[in-house]
DNA sequence: CAATGTGAAGCCCTTCACAGCG
DNA sequence: CGCTGTGAAGGGCTTCACATTG
């Protein structure tokens, strides 16, 4: 293993491997080969080994990988061996649904609060998550060491909210608004674009691979 | 232009270009250069031209592209120049939120119904979208020419629902369940994996590019 | 002997640079 | 003259194939 650039595709796959390993662990499996992992995640054995090789040598030749050890290594690599504080801006349908998403909690993401402008919903709760008024966001981020922000507001407001988050010290943003967003280099940004995903489907259906 | 394999990244960008062009069109812009598009979508001019070149010659040298013509070409390419019928399975928080998502309607996706097993919510509506009982799904798909299915059920149920959808004749699936799903070659599948997206963020934060 | 770890080959996508054209 | 369209170069990710090792 030598230090080099790691493909984003590798990180995405590691995350999927991790979830699959957790399942195997629950089933009581002790050891697993790259071939078995590949089957479980619909990939190739060589790819699995290559992905892991970026970070070290985790296996035993002739045997495979220890399931729970490997999963521990991967969660460490992904940075989810401890908790992260998250807020969601936009407490409409999507924001509220995201705040209740089980998958976040299971993977160490702590949704602390929702923020919104609508006086109808400010002060209420989505499940156990409180909804605060938007102007309180900056101070909340600072006081609670919030590292990750999720954008679930309508497109026209997204950039302004992002700017405010960045100003407050947020390190990473997951954007669900259908707009191209700008952030400084030191802030991580990912876009989850629902309509774009649908359009990739329709293209492939229409174009018939 | 010659026929060849088109990168998925190109399709994703075309979808983003299209949304941006729609905005420019609304602002009354008639003509646009690859450079301006690149700025608006945070890309490069050469990339914009290359992406379009897969499908034809849409510009005028020395001038640029006609905004509304180009957008019409792109929506045609993406297969969204007409409507698509969609159902969502799982009327929990996420499924209900998706059924109300404005971005689907705006881009020609018609959400006809939700399906769920919970007798508490079957028979109700999410906004204007009715919630039907899960066993009615297959006949509904056939009777209403549903082409696209969205999976918003808990992970353990996802594969069974997908199999049923495929059996009923669905052509494309957008999967939100955190599980690796199998479909036959002729069915299009895309995964929107929320926790995976968060973990790419935490990796990048931890690893500090 | 079975399965890992890894250089090398292959392939695909992006970037470059400029010819072509309105 | 300016911007498109594109062959060629470059870079990066995946696949291959095998040497390595417990």
């Amino acid at each position: 293993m030598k230090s080099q650039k790691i493909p984003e595709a590798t990180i995405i796959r590691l995350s999927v491997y991790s979830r699959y390993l957790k399942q195997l662990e629950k089933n009581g499996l002790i050891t697993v080969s790259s071939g078995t992992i590949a089957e479980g995640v619909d990939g190739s054995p060589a790819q699995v080994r290559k992905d892991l090789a970026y970070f070290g040598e985790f296996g035993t030749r002739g045997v495979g990988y220890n399931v729970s050890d490997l999963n521990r290594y991967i969660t460490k690599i992904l940075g989810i061996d401890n908790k992260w504080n998250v807020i969601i801006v936009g407490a409409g349908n999507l924001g509220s649904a995201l705040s209740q998403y089980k998958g976040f909690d299971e993977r160490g993401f702590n949704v602390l609060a929702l923020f919104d402008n609508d006086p109808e919903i400010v002060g209420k709760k989505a499940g156990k998550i409180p909804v605060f008024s938007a102007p309180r966001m900056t101070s909340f981020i600072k006081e609670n060491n919030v590292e990750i922000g999720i954008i679930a507001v309508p497109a026209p407001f997204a950039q302004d909210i992002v700017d405010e988050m960045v100003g407050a010290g947020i390190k990473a943003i997951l954007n669900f608004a259908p707009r191209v967003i700008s952030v400084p280099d030191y802030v991580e940004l990912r876009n989850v674009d629902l309509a774009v995903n649908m359009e990739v489907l329709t293209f492939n259906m229409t174009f018939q691979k």
Side-chain angles (χ1 to χ4, degrees), chain A residues 85 112 136-146 168:
Chain A
N85 291 326
L112 299 181
R136 293 185 52 187
M137 187 184 75
T138 292
S139 59
F140 188 92
I141 290 171
K142 292 180 176 170
E143 287 160 17
N144 295 276
N145 290 307
V146 178

Side-chain angles (χ1 to χ4, degrees), chain A residues 31-34 57-66 69:
Chain A
T31 298
V32 68
S33 70
S34 60
E57 305 193 1
F58 306 113
T60 308
R61 291 170 197 235
V63 180
Y65 305 88
N66 176 289
D69 285 353

Side-chain angles (χ1 to χ4, degrees), chain A residues 42-184:
Chain A
D42 198 27
S44 80
Q47 182 83 83
V48 171
R49 296 198 300 275
K50 202 50 145 188
D51 287 337
L52 295 173
Y54 284 109
F55 300 97
E57 305 193 1
F58 306 113
T60 308
R61 291 170 197 235
V63 180
Y65 305 88
N66 176 289
V67 175
S68 61
D69 285 353
L70 182 59
N71 195 24
R72 196 157 44 244
Y73 290 130
I74 295 179
T75 53
K76 182 95 181 282
I77 291 166
L78 293 173
I80 51 169
D81 52 338
N82 43 38
K83 293 263 181 188
W84 293 89
N85 291 326
V86 180
I87 61 167
I88 300 174
V89 182
N93 291 302
L94 186 57
S96 305
L98 292 172
S99 75
Q100 303 306 301
Y101 185 63
K102 302 279 193 307
F104 287 156
D105 194 60
E106 279 168 17
R107 302 293 284 177
F109 298 104
N110 228 337
V111 179
L112 299 181
L114 285 151
F115 291 88
D116 205 293
N117 258 329
D118 185 347
E120 288 284 306
I121 47 180
V122 168
K124 296 195 172 147
K125 290 193 171 195
K128 294 180 175 177
I129 319 283
V131 182
F132 297 132
S133 77
R136 293 185 52 187
M137 187 184 75
T138 292
S139 59
F140 188 92
I141 290 171
K142 292 180 176 170
E143 287 160 17
N144 295 276
N145 290 307
V146 178
E147 291 110 343
I148 306 175
I150 297 179
I151 302 288
V153 298
F157 307 118
Q159 183 68 59
D160 285 349
I161 302 281
V162 165
D163 292 345
E164 196 185 332
M165 279 185 172
V166 170
I170 280 240
K171 305 288 193 314
I173 293 171
L174 192 62
N175 173 46
F176 285 84
R179 262 297 157 87
V180 174
I181 298 291
S182 300
V183 293

Side-chain angles (χ1 to χ4, degrees), chain A residues 14-29 31-33 37 41 52 65-75 107:
Chain A
L14 284 177
S15 175
V16 176
Y17 301 162
S18 171
R19 220 171 40 206
Y20 181 61
L21 289 169
K22 197 175 176 182
Q23 210 182 305
L24 295 182
E25 207 177 345
K26 201 175 295 173
N27 296 348
L29 209 64
T31 298
V32 68
S33 70
I37 297 176
V41 303
L52 295 173
Y65 305 88
N66 176 289
V67 175
S68 61
D69 285 353
L70 182 59
N71 195 24
R72 196 157 44 244
Y73 290 130
I74 295 179
T75 53
R107 302 293 284 177

